[in-house]
Amino acid sequence: MSEEAERIAKRLEQATAELESVQSAAAEAERQMSVFASSVISTDGSVEVSVGSQGEVTEVRFLDGKYRSMTASQLSEAVLGAIQEARSHHSRMVRDLFEPLTRPSAVMPELPGLELDWDAIVGPAADSLPEDPFPPSRNDRLRDEIDGDEP
């Protein structure tokens, strides 16, 4: 086998190993998401909200009978605030879990990271993700230059 063919075979072997690693990491992230649940207590301690794997509200509990002395607007504010905080916590957790998969390969920098469909991953909670959840990577400058060339 020629030296060039050996080099190509080695690069192909590295790319295959990297792909298998990414597939394994993605499967593990999906497994963790499938069992994810989180609960948040409102700042006034009157309401506890739980969310499931896609940021959906799975339970609302009124704690210690505090709701009895609250006005409708106070109770509404407590419930909505707890829901927003629970969904925000969920979104941060999802971003932290999947963000490494969006980075270019450390072994083969020419292999870009995955482009993720956040709606498919977190459902309605995708609405609470920031517009640009990840810091720019070193490849973004090149991508911006290429995108800028379009008529």
Side-chain angles (χ1 to χ4, degrees):
M1 190 181 289
S2 74
E3 191 174 303
E4 180 66 16
E6 287 179 25
R7 188 183 70 73
I8 291 171
K10 184 176 180 174
R11 295 288 286 167
L12 181 58
E13 184 179 313
Q14 288 175 326
T16 301
E18 182 74 11
L19 176 60
E20 289 171 358
S21 174
V22 168
Q23 287 173 329
S24 176
E28 176 59 19
E30 287 178 6
R31 186 199 64 73
Q32 288 182 28
M33 279 301 303
S34 71
V35 298
F36 174 80
S38 179
S39 294
V40 171
I41 296 176
S42 63
T43 55
D44 64 4
S46 64
V47 179
E48 179 179 18
V49 172
S50 298
V51 296
S53 64
Q54 290 200 323
E56 74 280 11
V57 175
T58 57
E59 184 177 18
V60 176
R61 290 185 39 217
F62 298 99
L63 307 174
D64 300 330
K66 292 181 180 181
Y67 68 92
R68 290 185 180 108
S69 62
M70 298 172 77
T71 66
S73 63
Q74 289 172 323
L75 183 57
S76 174
E77 185 177 314
V79 170
L80 292 175
I83 289 171
Q84 180 59 34
E85 181 58 33
R87 290 183 75 205
S88 179
H89 175 264
H90 173 268
S91 297
R92 287 188 305 270
M93 191 282 304
V94 169
R95 187 173 56 223
D96 292 348
L97 185 62
F98 283 92
E99 191 274 332
L101 300 175
T102 66
R103 296 180 193 152
S105 166
V107 176
M108 300 190 70
E110 59 273 7
L111 294 178
L114 299 176
E115 290 189 26
L116 300 177
D117 179 356
W118 291 110
D119 287 331
I121 294 170
V122 297
D127 296 339
S128 63
L129 285 170
E131 287 292 321
D132 189 10
F134 308 115
S137 74
R138 68 173 194 255
N139 292 336
D140 286 345
R141 186 176 58 78
L142 177 60
R143 192 171 297 121
D144 289 345
E145 288 177 17
I146 293 170
D147 289 342
D149 289 344
E150 295 175 5

